[in-house]
Amino acid sequence: MHEMSLCEGIRRVVDQAADRPDVTRVTRVRLEIGKFAGVEKNALSFAWEVVMRGSKAEGAALEMIDLPGRALCYDCMKEVEIAERLSPCPDCGGGKLLPQGGDEMQIKDMEVV
Ligand SMILES: [Zn+2]
C-alpha cells in the first residue's frame, strides 16, 4: 500500500517540524493532495493513524485538501483546470494540454500545542 510510505514521508517532515521544546503535540495537519496524485484517501487515513503512533502527531487530525488538476492549453494558451488528466480544454475544447500540476502532495500547515 503506497499510502503507508507516503505517511512515513509525512511523519519525517512533521517530526522534524515538531522537534522543538515548545511543541508538546501536533493536533492537526493539513495536507494538500493533487487530484491526479493517485492517493486513496481512505487508505491514507488508515495509514495515518498507524504511522503516527508514538510520534508527537499521534491522534492528530488529518485534513485533506483537494487541489484541482491544472494544464496549459496550447490552443488558447490559457492555464485551465481540468477534471481528468486527458480532458479537453474547458475553455476552447482543444486537446493539446500540458499538465501543470495536480499530482503533488504536500503539507500545507499544521497546528501544534
Ligand atoms: Zn484552450
Side-chain angles (χ1 to χ4, degrees):
M1 189 165 78
H2 102 128
E3 281 73 13
M4 216 64 167
S5 55
L6 289 176
C7 278
E8 279 159 12
I10 299 167
R11 173 170 171 159
R12 277 194 291 277
V13 176
V14 170
D15 274 351
Q16 212 167 23
D19 187 22
R20 302 196 320 238
D22 57 323
V23 174
T24 317
R25 214 157 63 74
V26 177
T27 52
R28 178 180 296 272
V29 174
R30 271 185 283 270
L31 194 64
E32 291 179 327
I33 304 171
K35 199 172 171 60
F36 308 137
V39 174
E40 170 53 63
K41 286 184 183 170
N42 288 335
L44 191 68
S45 301
F46 174 77
W48 176 259
E49 280 179 32
V50 175
V51 171
M52 294 301 159
R53 268 177 213 154
S55 79
K56 283 185 176 179
E58 178 167 349
L62 175 64
E63 203 175 305
M64 296 179 247
I65 301 162
D66 290 308
L67 293 184
R70 293 190 318 278
L72 178 70
C73 174
Y74 279 122
D75 287 324
C76 64
M77 293 312 285
K78 276 186 204 151
E79 195 177 291
V80 292
E81 281 187 13
I82 48 174
E84 303 292 337
R85 202 180 265 285
L86 297 173
S87 294
C89 173
D91 240 51
C92 72
K96 291 196 284 293
L97 296 173
L98 179 70
Q100 298 287 294
D103 52 3
E104 63 273 60
M105 192 186 84
Q106 65 202 18
I107 297 170
K108 184 167 192 282
D109 54 26
M110 55 194 234
E111 287 169 16
V112 298
V113 289

